[in-house]
Amino acid sequence: MADEKDFARTNDRPVYVIGGGPGGLAAAAALRRQGIRAVVLEKSDSVGASWRRHYDRLHLHTTRRLSALPGLKMPRSFGRWASRDDVVRYLEKYAEVQELEIVTGVEVSRVERSGADWVLHATGGRELTGRAVVVATGYNHTPALPDWPGRDAYTGELLHAREYRDAAPYQGKDVLVVGVGNTGAEIAVDLVEGGAARVRLAVRTVPHIVRRSTAGWPAQRTGILVRRLPVWLVNRLGDLMCRIAVPDLADKGLPRPDTGLYSRVKQGAIPVQDVGLLDAVKSGKVEPVAALDSFEADKAVLADGTRISPDTVIAATGYRRSLEGLVGHLDVLDERGKPTTHGGRTPAQAPGLYFTGFTNPISGMLREMAIDARKIAKSVSKSTRGRA
């Protein structure tokens, strides 16, 4: 792996890949197999930086077999659901086996079109010229912490889920987890199992909850099978599966959602895969409550007017992609800041600019990154032949 001392030698019009996570590594490897030089620019000092920051309990919700990147299987020793640490080890090994050219400690702040090429403005005032650019800075780029009224004056402990590692600091404490996506649900269960005295889960929008695996059949495979079907049909199938496999917990404060599962997915909301939340809610160990509305001194004020005084508030409120500074001036983002293209498709007004890792499909993000990588490499190769 290269560092900044090797930086100068990389500036000879390769394809630049911004981000050393799984999406960036997969794209670089696929490009290399097409005979195209790819240079990965990673702002941290190692690959898989965002994975290293995740909480200790984290395991993939997608199977090992369907989560491998092109050219290297995940070892059987990882088990069916790979842990965070195993994913990090896998990414390190992947970069080594694929012989990827990676430059660490370099952050790209802006990319611009220059004739048929691209210019990247990077750390230390550097300007790099590449034939194409793959943006793979990650779905979980910048923590999103809502600006709740009274937040700045709140005297209790408030942290984003990105800062959470394990339950040890919260043993015997009263904790409010805000947000019931996969991260919030898993942290809530982790707190219960780790000895927190009380765990409440603030719910703004009731989520769809699915079993990670049913009779050995992973939810991911169902997601792969249905993703091309009509939304209305998947909604009906999802409702049927939910009523069969998921208990009605309305009396515990977690009713069934009133909108279709796939309709939510199309809006960007992925179902919560159950890793213990259903049992924890059913037993009363995790208490669903109304959404967090504001803070008053040492109290958290919920949307139903309830005032509570937890020792700690953990905001599992998601992330922003934060692409505006990098590519916002190129008219390639939608109103939510999401790229308008991904994979092998490149914007008509920005040919040679590719994006990967900014969707969160029910078929599995790592699987889709692997597919995107092959498509990007084929598109770049075709474009290069066309120029020649």
Side-chain angles (χ1 to χ4, degrees):
M1 188 178 298
D3 58 25
E4 283 199 78
K5 291 183 291 186
D6 301 310
F7 193 83
R9 70 182 180 85
T10 67
N11 192 10
D12 59 353
R13 295 181 67 256
V15 173
Y16 282 107
V17 180
I18 307 174
L25 299 182
L31 286 162
R32 191 174 186 279
R33 281 194 294 277
Q34 290 282 348
I36 299 169
R37 186 180 179 210
V39 178
V40 179
L41 304 176
E42 169 55 47
K43 69 177 182 179
S44 72
D45 60 359
S46 58
V47 300
S50 64
W51 278 92
R52 298 172 192 274
R53 291 191 295 265
H54 286 312
Y55 48 92
D56 295 349
R57 176 194 176 97
L58 180 66
H59 283 68
L60 290 179
H61 291 163
T62 54
T63 66
R64 179 191 76 251
R65 289 185 177 181
L66 295 175
S67 300
L69 303 180
L72 184 66
K73 294 180 179 180
M74 285 190 174
R76 291 177 61 88
S77 60
F78 285 7
R80 196 178 198 192
W81 317 101
S83 70
R84 178 204 63 186
D85 290 346
D86 282 339
V87 172
V88 170
R89 283 192 283 269
Y90 173 74
L91 295 178
E92 292 173 340
K93 188 66 175 179
Y94 188 82
E96 176 187 340
V97 170
Q98 301 297 322
E99 299 181 335
L100 302 182
E101 187 174 349
I102 302 171
V103 184
T104 59
V106 175
E107 183 172 8
V108 179
S109 57
R110 184 180 177 91
V111 299
E112 296 179 328
R113 187 75 174 165
S114 178
D117 295 323
W118 287 91
V119 174
L120 292 76
H121 300 270
T123 303
R126 297 176 176 84
E127 293 187 358
L128 309 173
T129 302
R131 70 176 76 176
V133 176
V134 180
V135 180
T137 50
Y139 196 87
N140 295 339
H141 186 274
T142 304
L145 189 64
D147 188 20
W148 289 293
R151 188 190 77 181
D152 293 341
Y154 179 57
T155 57
E157 182 183 24
L158 170 64
L159 64 146
H160 189 271
R162 185 174 184 172
E163 302 172 66
Y164 179 88
R165 289 294 174 271
D166 58 53
Y170 311 100
Q171 290 182 8
K173 291 188 175 183
D174 182 337
V175 184
L176 173 67
V177 179
V178 181
V180 66
N182 279 294
T183 297
E186 193 155 0
I187 287 176
V189 173
D190 196 43
L191 288 164
V192 167
E193 294 179 355
R198 186 176 189 181
V199 179
R200 284 173 281 203
L201 185 60
V203 180
R204 182 172 300 278
T205 303
V206 179
H208 284 274
I209 302 176
V210 299
R211 300 288 187 182
R212 186 170 66 175
S213 179
T214 303
W217 179 265
Q220 181 188 10
R221 287 199 177 275
T222 301
I224 294 170
L225 291 174
V226 306
R227 65 173 308 197
R228 304 298 183 188
L229 296 178
V231 172
W232 66 267
L233 178 57
V234 181
N235 282 344
R236 288 189 181 181
L237 293 173
D239 181 65
L240 177 62
M241 290 176 61
C242 177
R243 293 184 182 281
I244 293 173
V246 178
D248 185 355
L249 298 174
D251 61 332
K252 298 292 186 178
L254 198 63
R256 297 190 189 280
D258 56 7
T259 56
L261 182 152
Y262 207 30
S263 295
R264 289 270 191 91
V265 170
K266 291 296 186 180
Q267 297 168 359
I270 294 300
V272 172
Q273 296 213 20
D274 180 46
V275 290
L277 179 66
L278 292 173
D279 287 343
V281 171
K282 188 175 182 179
S283 65
K285 295 177 181 178
V286 170
E287 307 168 46
V289 296
L292 176 61
D293 189 64
S294 62
F295 291 103
E296 290 181 2
D298 65 341
K299 297 187 181 300
V301 183
L302 306 182
D304 61 3
T306 303
R307 286 165 169 75
I308 61 177
S309 300
D311 298 309
T312 303
V313 176
I314 300 174
T317 45
Y319 294 80
R320 296 189 299 272
R321 299 173 184 88
S322 298
L323 292 170
E324 289 77 10
L326 186 68
V327 297
H329 55 289
L330 299 172
D331 191 28
V332 295
L333 304 177
D334 64 16
E335 65 280 357
R336 296 179 296 173
K338 178 182 175 181
T340 55
T341 62
H342 74 276
R345 294 184 295 118
T346 184
Q349 70 276 24
L353 180 64
Y354 300 88
F355 296 91
T356 182
F358 296 99
T359 60
N360 197 7
I362 56 176
S363 50
M365 182 179 285
L366 290 174
R367 176 180 180 272
E368 294 303 317
M369 286 178 179
I371 294 172
D372 280 354
R374 297 184 182 98
K375 291 180 177 179
I376 290 170
K378 289 180 181 179
S379 178
V380 174
S381 178
K382 182 179 179 180
S383 175
T384 300
R385 289 196 304 269
R387 277 197 213 178

